[in-house]
Amino acid sequence: MSTIREGAAQVPAEKRPGVWTRTRRGRTALLYLLPSIILFGVFVFYPMFRTIYLSFFLTDQRGEAAVFVGLDNYRYLLESAAFLNSAKATILFVLYTVPAGVVIALFLALLANEKLKGIGFFRTVYSSTMGVSVAAASVVWLFMFHPSIGMFNRFLALFDIGQIQWLLDPDWALFSVAISTIWMNTGFSFLILLGGLQNIDEHLYESAKIDGAGYFYQLRRITLPMLSPTLFFIITISLINAFQSFGQIDILTKGGPAQSTNLIVYSIYREAFVNYQFGTASAQAVFLFLCILVVTILQFKFGERKVHYQ
């Protein structure tokens, strides 16, 4: 019986899968993947390529391409004070929400990871924000930020501090929306970080305690390095989510006051579905996609160097 050599092993030639078998396996695999391919094609790839296509055109009110203008839509955005203001507001929003959200979620996860009686109740409370929709949470925060009956101004009144127009003052509006966004996203980040903490080998802490290491030394030398893959994931997801925030902006401020909370995502919505300028809206969407892509690539290029994989 004829054989072929694969490394050091002798494999009978008759046992090799033939072309027909390999092709049949490929067709079977493709058949299983077909539903996902169709869904991604319809809801991801087609809209993406359609958006890129429309960004080079002026469109009518139905969103159909009318006049080819090349890069004029992009040139218009770079010269538009309104768009530059949206880009600035988006960057500030990301800087407000991502670092604070990750630090708060990490602090809560460290607390909830302690072996204390009744700690399960606090774990449930800390992660409960995952079960609240953006719309419902935004309505609650809308009442909390109310200038006369809101909880925050009532608290300030206890110390004889004047009212703050949280959502009506351009100096406070973006910060106020950032606070609500941090609260909404903390539950997810907390749960993922808590799972990462519970996967760290307990023997590492036991060995450190035997050597006389204190809590903060263990935190710096064991917990954070072993948690770094989870932290890397949470930071990346938080960055992407911050760039894509929309619901709370629409409910709390609608991009105001004075366009101070008009993030790029909300600017895209207004340009497309209020002003019916689908060409410039598509150009903004492409710009936002490139921003997220660049930030993600930089995150993987520089942030992953500090990740300690077990």
Side-chain angles (χ1 to χ4, degrees), residues 167-168 170 173-174 177 249 252-262 266:
L167 299 176
L168 302 176
L174 187 64
V177 176
I249 300 293
L252 292 175
T253 63
K254 297 192 179 300
Q259 306 299 314
S260 60
T261 62
N262 189 29
Y266 195 75

Side-chain angles (χ1 to χ4, degrees), residues 44 48 101 124 229 279 296:
V44 177
M48 181 178 70
T124 303
T296 304

Side-chain angles (χ1 to χ4, degrees), residues 48 65 84 94 96 116 135 181 207 211 250:
M48 181 178 70
L84 295 177
V94 171
Y96 287 161
L116 300 174
T181 302
S207 300
D211 293 337
D250 186 43

Side-chain angles (χ1 to χ4, degrees), residues 29 36 40 58 90 99 121 123 126 162 168 183 203 230 256 291 304:
S36 297
F40 273 95
L58 293 178
T90 302
F121 169 77
R123 291 174 182 172
Y126 296 154
L168 302 176
W183 182 87
H203 293 92
T230 309
C291 287
E304 199 172 19

Side-chain angles (χ1 to χ4, degrees), residues 6-277:
E6 289 190 2
Q10 297 290 332
V11 181
E14 287 80 358
K15 293 186 178 180
R16 287 185 300 166
V19 175
W20 172 254
T21 303
R22 293 196 298 269
T23 305
R24 185 177 60 186
R25 290 177 179 175
R27 290 199 301 267
T28 303
L30 185 61
L31 184 63
Y32 281 112
L33 290 173
L34 189 59
S36 297
I37 293 173
I38 293 174
L39 287 174
F40 273 95
V42 172
F43 295 105
V44 177
F45 297 120
Y46 172 74
M48 181 178 70
F49 290 117
R50 179 70 174 175
T51 299
I52 296 173
Y53 171 76
L54 289 178
S55 69
F56 297 108
F57 287 85
L58 293 178
T59 60
D60 56 25
Q61 291 190 353
R62 297 177 301 170
E64 298 294 334
V67 180
F68 178 78
V69 294
L71 297 176
D72 284 354
N73 285 330
Y74 295 94
R75 192 175 299 112
Y76 166 77
L77 292 181
L78 295 177
E79 296 173 355
S80 170
F83 177 75
L84 295 177
N85 179 73
S86 295
K88 178 183 176 182
T90 302
I91 294 172
L92 288 175
F93 183 79
V94 171
L95 293 177
Y96 287 161
T97 57
V98 175
V102 172
V103 170
I104 292 173
L106 177 60
F107 175 73
L108 295 177
L110 290 171
L111 289 179
N113 194 45
E114 298 295 323
K115 294 180 175 61
L116 300 174
K117 186 177 181 180
I119 197 65
F121 169 77
F122 293 97
R123 291 174 182 172
T124 303
V125 171
Y126 296 154
S127 60
S128 61
T129 59
M130 291 183 60
V132 183
S133 68
V134 173
S138 298
V139 171
V140 173
W141 281 94
L142 189 63
F143 282 100
M144 294 174 66
F145 284 130
H146 195 279
S148 58
I149 64 173
M151 183 188 74
F152 292 116
N153 277 342
R154 284 180 175 269
F155 178 76
L156 293 177
L158 297 176
F159 301 94
D160 293 326
I161 300 176
Q163 291 185 352
I164 296 177
Q165 303 292 325
W166 297 98
L167 299 176
L168 302 176
D169 187 341
D171 295 331
W172 285 98
L174 187 64
F175 181 72
S176 302
V177 176
I179 292 175
S180 64
T181 302
I182 292 170
W183 182 87
M184 295 175 198
N185 296 336
T186 295
F188 172 79
S189 300
F190 160 79
L191 202 60
I192 299 299
L193 289 172
L194 180 61
L197 287 172
Q198 293 182 343
N199 283 330
I200 299 176
D201 192 349
E202 288 291 334
H203 293 92
L204 297 174
Y205 295 107
E206 293 174 1
S207 300
K209 289 177 181 178
I210 293 173
D211 293 337
Y215 175 81
F216 290 102
Y217 184 86
Q218 295 177 38
L219 178 65
R220 185 163 52 93
R221 294 294 186 179
I222 298 175
T223 304
L224 292 181
M226 300 301 289
L227 193 63
S228 56
T230 309
L231 278 171
F232 177 75
F233 169 77
I234 285 298
I235 292 172
T236 303
I237 294 299
S238 297
L239 282 169
I240 295 173
N241 288 339
F243 276 105
Q244 296 178 335
S245 297
F246 172 80
Q248 57 269 46
I249 300 293
D250 186 43
I251 294 175
L252 292 175
T253 63
K254 297 192 179 300
Q259 306 299 314
S260 60
T261 62
N262 189 29
L263 306 187
I264 294 179
V265 170
Y266 195 75
S267 177
I268 294 170
Y269 162 75
R270 289 181 58 85
E271 194 73 9
F273 301 108
V274 177
N275 300 329
Y276 297 103
Q277 299 294 328

